[in-house]
């Protein structure tokens, strides 16, 4: 599976630009002195900040720290982090007294090239965690470009971790880039054998991880507390060990799935068990599944260590997530230490998946000997699970030309049940797709569609919106509310809206601008009728539509916009334009964008073809030079057909 490459800070033209950088300066502070007790996270962001400073950017840093509940609180100020950064980087770091207030805005406006401003704790505003579009727009208004370098919060769709990318050209920093290279690289294209070592106490925490890795790894080693649930599920005696009886079926299913896929799934063959959960408990080694009553397993035994170490020694890629036993107690750290040592000794690409395992490898002194220790806890877990991380997904692609398959269900789906059903059918079919996928569902189906598509690579589009935020517009839908709900795209100026609802180039333009101002990505439609084609008016007509639609839209906003060329005579008629006809007009549209903006802007524009695209015609159309995908009506109502189109 290919991995989608995201833009990196080096792909942006940062000189003289104000760059807002989401960093993860959520550092631990001493409760009494308020001193930073571990500055690893600040150090982790230095490469990106240094790059920006050295390349004459005006740097605006934004982060959260702790969990402020009710607005600004001195104990959650970014001051200690800003001061430590100044020491580490050897330059002044100005701290604003607010986040989007007057102080922040005036300090941001006054920044000179190479200077650094830190905003106050972004979670002083409750809008941050709600990914409120107006709050994100305010933050964005201070900057020209957005860089996300906070991997630790990349699994959260907050205003500063994802929302900003709806308003500004965006890229990852070096820290996120490294996570993508290592974890993303291992999952997409591992050197084999690929061995995954999974531990930790609960199966329920790791279901997603195990199940995703069964599709990718050659060997899965299971240790830690969750191994006892696997053993008990097969009827073994586990004494008073950790156990989740409600996960027995699931454990057995995972074992069966591994077997069916030919993946080696190794469970411990022996166990160090104790008569109490304590450092000084009595202990003994027993065969797995033969733990005496009243005893609990707290570590893997010597034979398991030998078995697992041999697998590790053979590996070319290793991912480790979760300790093998209760390593906090020295007496029961032997298994975890032995696995850490085996990983350190191996010459494989070794990745430690954050959280407890990162703490373990550091505590045991092997941190220097592994290829990569992830800086995320929850984020790395979700990444390994194969979930889409909003903080990464939101960033611009490195290369354009990635297929964008958007469905337009029109009024053809029952709400809300059909929406959820169709999306649930589609999800597994497209989960490894590298194309961008969106579904334009009826308004009433939006909540169900958003829920069904959560964490997947399917985005939700609205089929229309009004250009006003609120007011006396009976029956209309506010773009603000679509954005607040989590809708990503909005189809604007579809020919059916132009024909039946009197949409004009002027309303299309107003709607596109409104959508952009709330962080919605417009898919702007254009296209000629049959009579116009026959009268040779196609090009003039389309040029007029594009000029009208893009009036007063600045070039920096183009990265948020898609154009859909939809010849009216091909919509819903089963009469697809030929590859050549579609290519000819899409190339023409690109030319119009080049005239209106610049060649580079035109080259980076996503242009779809729409009109009776189906599973048979998609591949031919999408392989045309100027066609980057399709807006698909009828064929998007069948999961299988649409998956073929999305994978075309
Ligand atoms: P169709 O619709 O694929 O059913 O022709 C396309 C559209 O209206 O977007």
């Amino acid at each position: 599976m290919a991995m989608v490459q995201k833009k990196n800070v080096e792909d942006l033209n940062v000189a003289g630009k104000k760059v807002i950088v989401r960093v993860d300066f959520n550092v631990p502070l001493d409760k009494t002195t308020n001193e930073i007790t571990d500055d690893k996270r600040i150090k982790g962001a230095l490469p990106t900040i240094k790059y920006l400073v050295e390349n004459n950017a005006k740097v605006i840093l934004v982060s959260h720290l702790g969990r402020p509940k009710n607005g600004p609180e001195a104990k959650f100020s970014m001051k200690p982090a800003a001061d430590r950064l100044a020491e580490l980087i050897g330059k002044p770091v100005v701290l604003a007294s607010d986040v989007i207030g007057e102080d922040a805005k005036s300090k941001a406006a006054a920044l000179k090239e190479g200077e650094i401003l830190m905003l106050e704790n972004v979670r002083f505003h409750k809008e941050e965690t709600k990914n409120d579009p107006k709050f994100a727009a305010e933050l964005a208004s201070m900057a020209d470009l957005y860089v996300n370098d906070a991997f630790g919060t990349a699994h959260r769709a907050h205003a500063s971790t994802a929302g900003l990318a709806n308003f500004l050209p965006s890229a990852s920093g070096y820290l996120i880039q490294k996570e993508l290279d290592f974890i993303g690289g291992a999952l997409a294209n591992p050197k084999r054998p690929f061995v995954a070592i999974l531990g930790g106490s609960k199966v329920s925490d790791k279901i997603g991880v195990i199940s995703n890795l069964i599709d990718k790894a050659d060997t899965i080693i299971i240790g830690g507390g969750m191994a006892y649930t696997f053993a008990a599920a097969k009827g073994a005696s586990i004494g008073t060990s950790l156990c989740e009886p409600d996960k027995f079926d699931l454990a057995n299913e995972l074992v069966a799935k591994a077997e069916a896929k030919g993946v080696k799934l190794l469970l411990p063959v022996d166990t160090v068990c104790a008569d109490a959960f304590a450092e000084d408990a009595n202990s003994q080694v027993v065969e797995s599944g033969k733990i005496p009553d009243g005893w609990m397993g707290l570590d893997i035994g010597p034979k398991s260590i030998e078995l697992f170490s041999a697998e590790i020694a053979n590996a070319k890629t290793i991912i480790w997530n979760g300790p093998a036993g209760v390593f906090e107690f020295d007496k029961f750290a032997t298994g975890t230490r032995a696995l850490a040592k085996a990983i350190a000794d191996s010459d494989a690409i070794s990745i430690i998946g954050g959280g407890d395992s990162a703490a373990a490898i550091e505590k045991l002194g092997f941190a220097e000997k592994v290829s990569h220790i992830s800086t995320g806890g929850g984020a790395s877990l979700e990444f390994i699970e194969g979930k889409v991380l909003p903080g990464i997904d939101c960033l611009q692609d490195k290369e354009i030309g990635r297929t964008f398959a958007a469905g337009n269900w029109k009024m053809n789906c029952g709400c809300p049940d059909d929406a959820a059903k169709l999306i649930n059918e589609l999800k597994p079919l497209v989960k490894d797709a590298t194309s961008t996928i969106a579904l334009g569902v009826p308004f009433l189906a939006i909540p169900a569609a958003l829920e069904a598509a959560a964490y997947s690579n399917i985005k939700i589009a609205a089929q229309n919106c009004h250009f006003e935020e609120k007011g006396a517009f009976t029956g209309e839908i506010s773009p603000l509310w679509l954005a607040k709900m989590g809708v990503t795209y909005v189809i604007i100026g579809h020919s059916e809206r132009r024909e039946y609802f009197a949409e004009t180039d002027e309303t299309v333009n107003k709607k596109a601008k409104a959508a952009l101002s709330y962080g919605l990505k417009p898919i702007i439609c254009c296209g000629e009728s049959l009579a116009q084609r026959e009268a040779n008016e196609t090009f003039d007509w389309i040029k007029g539509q594009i000029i009208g639609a893009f009036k007063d839209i600045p070039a920096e906003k183009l990265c948020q916009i898609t154009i859909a060329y939809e010849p009216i005579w091909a919509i819903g008629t089963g009469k697809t334009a030929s590859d050549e006809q579609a290519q000819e007009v899409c190339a023409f549209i690109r030319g119009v964008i080049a005239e209106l903006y610049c060649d580079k802007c035109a080259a980076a524009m996503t242009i779809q073809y729409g009109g009776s695209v189906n599973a048979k015609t998609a591949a031919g159309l999408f392989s045309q030079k100027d066609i980057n995908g399709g807006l698909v009506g009828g064929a998007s109502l069948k999961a299988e057909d649409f998956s073929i189109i999305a994978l075309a």
Side-chain angles (χ1 to χ4, degrees):
M1 179 196 136
M3 193 177 48
V4 177
Q5 299 284 334
K6 292 294 181 180
K7 275 194 181 164
N8 165 278
V9 61
E10 289 174 29
D11 298 314
L12 299 175
N13 194 356
V14 299
K17 298 277 172 52
K18 289 195 217 84
V19 185
I20 187 161
V21 189
R22 178 49 155 104
V23 287
D24 181 4
F25 285 0
N26 182 24
V27 286
L29 298 176
D30 185 285
K31 281 203 178 65
T32 45
T33 63
N34 223 28
E35 291 274 317
I36 296 173
T37 54
D38 182 351
D39 62 4
K40 218 172 26 239
R41 290 181 168 177
I42 300 177
K43 287 188 174 139
L46 284 176
T48 301
I49 301 172
K50 280 189 179 149
Y51 174 86
L52 291 168
V53 166
E54 281 161 16
N55 285 279
N56 303 319
K58 302 169 182 177
V59 184
I60 305 169
L61 302 176
V62 57
S63 176
H64 78 285
L65 195 159
R67 294 189 167 160
K69 289 266 160 358
N70 295 309
E73 257 181 280
K75 68 172 180 191
F76 293 117
S77 168
M78 295 310 300
K79 182 156 195 323
D83 290 349
R84 178 61 58 90
L85 172 64
E87 275 166 43
L88 291 170
I89 203 161
K91 269 180 86 57
V93 175
V94 178
L95 179 69
S97 62
D98 50 29
V99 185
I100 50 165
E102 247 168 59
D103 193 54
K105 284 186 174 161
S106 65
K107 290 199 162 100
L111 272 176
K112 297 205 181 62
E113 293 182 5
E115 289 184 348
I116 306 171
L117 168 68
M118 169 112 236
L119 304 180
E120 251 312 348
N121 191 334
V122 68
R123 290 205 191 154
F124 285 170
H125 292 259
K126 59 181 185 327
E127 294 87 348
E128 158 68 359
T129 50
K130 291 186 179 151
N131 193 6
D132 182 273
K134 285 192 151 181
F135 177 68
E138 287 289 327
L139 267 180
S141 72
M142 287 186 267
D144 308 303
L145 300 167
Y146 167 57
V147 168
N148 188 9
D149 211 19
F151 184 71
T153 47
H155 58 319
R156 304 273 179 235
H158 295 169
S160 69
T161 63
L164 278 171
N166 295 332
F167 298 91
L168 297 171
S170 56
S172 72
Y174 290 112
L175 192 142
I176 284 199
Q177 180 69 52
K178 189 163 176 250
E179 299 280 359
L180 290 176
D181 289 349
F182 276 100
I183 305 184
L187 296 175
N189 206 1
K191 289 210 172 80
R192 297 189 181 276
F194 174 13
V195 177
I197 307 146
L198 302 173
S201 45
K202 289 192 194 151
V203 182
S204 45
D205 290 343
K206 301 286 162 79
I207 301 165
V209 171
I210 302 174
S211 144
N212 192 38
L213 287 173
I214 287 176
D215 289 333
K216 319 224 181 264
D218 302 295
T219 303
I220 295 179
I221 292 172
I222 295 197
M226 69 172 164
Y228 306 113
T229 297
F230 277 86
K234 286 190 293 189
S237 305
I238 59 161
T240 53
S241 307
L242 271 180
C243 184
E244 292 171 278
D246 61 326
K247 294 290 172 297
F248 284 173
D249 287 350
L250 186 98
N252 287 331
E253 272 165 35
L254 289 169
V255 171
K257 184 174 168 195
E259 209 171 279
K261 293 240 167 194
V263 172
K264 218 195 260 183
L265 191 136
L266 299 176
L267 288 159
V269 288
D270 56 357
T271 303
V272 180
C273 56
D275 58 0
F277 185 80
E279 175 86 70
D280 57 358
N282 294 312
S283 67
Q284 59 172 318
V285 175
V286 298
E287 255 178 65
S288 271
K290 296 202 173 140
I291 299 177
D293 287 350
W295 289 65
M296 62 178 78
L298 293 185
D299 196 8
I300 55 173
K303 288 199 182 110
S304 308
I305 292 177
E306 209 173 298
L307 175 74
F308 295 170
S309 301
E311 273 313 306
I312 293 168
N314 235 335
K316 289 273 178 290
T317 304
I318 300 167
I319 284 190
W320 181 30
N321 188 290
V326 185
F327 78 99
E328 296 85 347
F329 295 157
D330 219 30
K331 189 168 182 176
F332 304 103
T334 313
T336 303
R337 186 180 299 119
L339 296 191
K341 182 168 182 326
I343 296 169
D345 287 347
S346 106
D347 52 13
I349 296 167
S350 49
I351 298 161
I352 313 302
D356 278 357
S357 349
I361 202 107
E362 269 159 27
K363 181 173 177 225
L364 300 170
F366 294 110
E368 300 301 317
K369 299 233 171 85
V370 295
S371 318
H372 178 64
I373 301 178
S374 177
T375 52
S380 43
L381 204 62
E382 292 193 17
F383 198 9
I384 302 170
E385 271 180 59
K387 282 189 185 163
V388 169
L389 303 188
I392 293 172
D393 189 46
C394 68
L395 304 174
Q396 275 177 262
D397 293 348
K398 199 169 189 101
E399 311 271 340
I400 72 126
R402 172 180 173 200
T403 302
F404 178 14
N408 178 9
W409 287 358
K410 308 188 182 182
M411 217 169 68
N412 289 321
C413 117
C415 298
D417 300 355
D418 286 2
K421 188 166 162 269
L422 200 49
I423 292 173
N424 285 326
E425 272 169 37
L426 184 63
K427 270 196 300 196
L429 303 177
V430 296
K431 85 177 186 357
D432 287 329
T434 51
S435 46
T436 305
I437 301 170
L439 292 171
V441 307
F443 288 125
L444 291 177
I446 287 175
L450 284 167
E451 196 185 326
Y455 296 112
S456 78
N457 52 347
I458 300 171
K459 304 277 181 316
I460 300 307
Q463 298 172 14
N464 177 33
C465 71
H466 193 53
F467 44 78
E468 293 292 346
E469 177 185 317
K470 62 184 223 178
F473 301 101
T474 304
E476 286 295 331
I477 300 279
S478 160
L480 172 65
W481 286 98
L482 292 175
K484 279 197 178 205
M485 288 176 89
V487 167
T488 308
Y489 295 95
V490 56
I491 301 172
I492 290 178
H494 190 277
S495 64
E496 287 153 18
R497 296 221 44 96
R498 294 183 191 248
E499 188 177 348
Y500 309 127
F501 304 100
E503 295 241 356
T504 60
D505 290 344
E506 197 192 336
T507 57
V508 169
N509 175 247
K510 277 170 137 178
K511 288 182 176 193
K513 285 192 289 200
L516 289 168
S517 72
Y518 297 104
L520 292 167
K521 296 177 197 291
I523 300 175
I524 298 176
C525 302
C526 61
E528 80 288 3
S529 67
L530 189 57
Q532 286 169 320
R533 177 160 279 265
E534 284 170 355
N536 279 330
E537 289 166 8
T538 301
F539 296 109
D540 284 349
W541 175 253
I542 297 229
K543 186 168 182 175
Q545 286 187 316
I546 297 292
I547 292 174
F550 282 80
K551 188 166 174 283
D552 300 329
I553 292 180
E556 330 60 276
K557 288 289 176 191
L558 294 184
C559 60
Q560 316 287 2
I561 304 176
T562 301
I563 298 176
Y565 164 56
E566 299 208 298
I568 299 170
W569 49 271
I571 296 178
T573 56
K575 234 170 112 181
T576 321
S578 70
D579 294 354
E580 294 72 26
Q581 282 171 323
Q583 159 61 22
E584 188 186 24
V585 182
C586 289
F588 173 77
I589 292 171
R590 208 178 286 287
V592 177
I593 294 294
E595 261 177 55
L596 293 177
Y597 297 92
C598 68
D599 286 350
K600 227 173 125 193
C601 308
M605 188 88 221
T606 302
I607 304 179
Q608 296 172 320
Y609 165 78
S612 300
V613 175
N614 60 41
K616 286 203 187 82
T617 54
L621 287 160
F622 299 175
S623 64
Q624 300 301 308
K625 182 169 162 289
D626 289 293
I627 302 179
N628 308 114
L631 181 56
V632 185
S636 69
L637 289 156
K638 289 196 202 94
E640 190 168 351
D641 284 8
F642 191 59
S643 74
I644 295 171
I645 295 168
L647 296 167

